[in-house]
Amino acid sequence: CPTAADLHSADGTRVCAQLYTDNSPYYDQCCAGDVLVVPPGSDMPYMPLGWSASVSSLVVGTRCELTVWSRKGKNGKSRRFSS
């Protein structure tokens, strides 16, 4: 997995989080599969098509916080992740 400080897009802009579809009990095999990039200031009350219940691992950048909910539309239980 990339480190929190290493989260940048291809053009060098800052990324607040990256979510991945594949995970593994072996750390060197985590953060694989499809990647959903979350830019700073994003507010997504609904996951993009095909991403609901498919995130297995994530990395949150420095000075960022990612809040996720158990139900669509920011309903249900929430959990916050940071670097």
Side-chain angles (χ1 to χ4, degrees):
C1 294
T3 66
D6 290 337
L7 288 186
H8 291 39
S9 66
D11 65 1
T13 58
R14 188 167 162 243
V15 170
C16 271
Q18 288 186 176
L19 289 67
Y20 301 88
T21 56
D22 295 346
N23 194 8
S24 171
Y26 302 103
Y27 184 76
D28 62 340
Q29 297 174 18
C30 288
C31 301
D34 293 330
V35 180
L36 178 63
V37 175
V38 181
S42 293
D43 183 12
M44 299 186 334
Y46 300 94
M47 290 296 283
L49 186 64
W51 278 90
S52 182
S54 66
V55 175
S56 294
S57 50
L58 60 91
V59 177
V60 178
T62 55
R63 298 181 322 220
C64 287
E65 184 175 84
L66 177 71
T67 304
V68 297
W69 286 266
S70 62
R71 297 183 183 260
K72 63 182 179 180
K74 296 183 181 180
N75 289 309
K77 294 181 180 181
S78 66
R79 182 160 181 195
R80 293 177 186 220
F81 297 91
S82 62
S83 60

